[in-house]
């Protein structure tokens, strides 16, 4: 064993479901050796990381905007009157949504 090119062993545990997924992916390739497959994936495999911080922030702001719109809707339903201020506030909140979306989309470039 001293003359091995690869002389460091790495072990890890997987669930039965994870092992089946690995086997399914291996079946798409010409290799039958799990060690070769795992080594290739660990070294050359593509990992896609998506930073969702902006999206989470937008969701929080959308929830706040949604609460404001719901309050306006309750007021309209209870009084049966639609006020110009209510319409203006809804338009303002809609504008905030568009600005959030533009900010997120521009950060993706």
């Amino acid at each position: 064993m001293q003359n091995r090119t690869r002389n460091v062993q790495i072990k890890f545990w997987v669930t039965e479901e994870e092992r089946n997924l690995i086997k399914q992916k291996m079946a798409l390739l010409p290799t039958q050796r799990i060690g070769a497959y795992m080594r290739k994936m660990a070294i050359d495999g593509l990992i896609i990381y998506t930073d969702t911080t902006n999206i989470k922030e937008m969701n929080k702001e959308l929830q706040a905007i949604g609460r404001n719109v719901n309050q306006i809707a309750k007021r309209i339903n209870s009084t049966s009157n639609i006020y110009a201020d209510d319409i203006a506030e809804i338009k303002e909140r809609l504008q905030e949504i568009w600005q959030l979306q533009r900010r997120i989309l521009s950060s993706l470039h």
Side-chain angles (χ1 to χ4, degrees), residues 27-38:
L28 302 172
L29 301 172
T31 185
Q32 297 298 314
R33 295 182 3 248
I34 195 164
Y37 173 78
M38 298 304 289

Side-chain angles (χ1 to χ4, degrees), residues 1 9 22 26 38-39 42 46 48 51 58 69 95:
M1 293 271 196
Q9 185 177 33
I22 291 168
M26 278 182 59
M38 298 304 289
R39 186 171 38 258
L46 177 65
I48 299 172
D51 183 7
M58 184 178 84
V69 171
Q95 190 61 34

Side-chain angles (χ1 to χ4, degrees), residues 4-58:
R4 292 181 70 110
T5 304
R6 296 184 178 97
N7 57 1
V8 177
Q9 185 177 33
I10 298 175
K11 292 183 180 184
F12 61 96
W13 294 90
V14 295
T15 65
E16 191 70 33
E17 183 179 331
E18 289 169 332
R19 185 175 73 170
N20 289 336
L21 288 171
I22 291 168
K23 285 183 176 183
Q24 287 174 11
K25 289 184 178 190
M26 278 182 59
L28 302 172
L29 301 172
T31 185
Q32 297 298 314
R33 295 182 3 248
I34 195 164
Y37 173 78
M38 298 304 289
R39 186 171 38 258
K40 183 72 174 161
M41 290 305 296
I43 293 170
D44 298 331
L46 177 65
I47 296 174
I48 299 172
Y49 171 75
T50 305
D51 183 7
T52 59
T53 306
N54 287 338
I55 294 170
K56 289 177 184 175
E57 178 186 329
M58 184 178 84

Side-chain angles (χ1 to χ4, degrees), residues 76-90:
I76 290 170
N77 287 331
S78 67
T79 63
S80 298
N81 293 322
I82 300 175
Y83 299 103
D85 288 346
D86 292 336
I87 299 299
E89 187 172 351
I90 290 173

Side-chain angles (χ1 to χ4, degrees), residues 55-105:
I55 294 170
K56 289 177 184 175
E57 178 186 329
M58 184 178 84
N59 283 340
K60 285 180 186 177
E61 291 188 39
L62 284 173
Q63 287 173 341
I65 291 167
R67 283 191 296 275
N68 289 345
V69 171
N70 282 339
Q71 289 171 355
I72 293 168
K74 284 180 185 177
R75 190 168 54 239
I76 290 170
N77 287 331
S78 67
T79 63
S80 298
N81 293 322
I82 300 175
Y83 299 103
D85 288 346
D86 292 336
I87 299 299
E89 187 172 351
I90 290 173
K91 286 181 179 179
E92 183 180 324
R93 299 295 174 236
L94 185 59
Q95 190 61 34
E96 288 177 28
I97 291 170
W98 286 116
Q99 288 173 357
L100 284 168
Q101 287 181 332
R102 281 189 209 105
R103 192 169 64 214
I104 287 172
L105 289 174

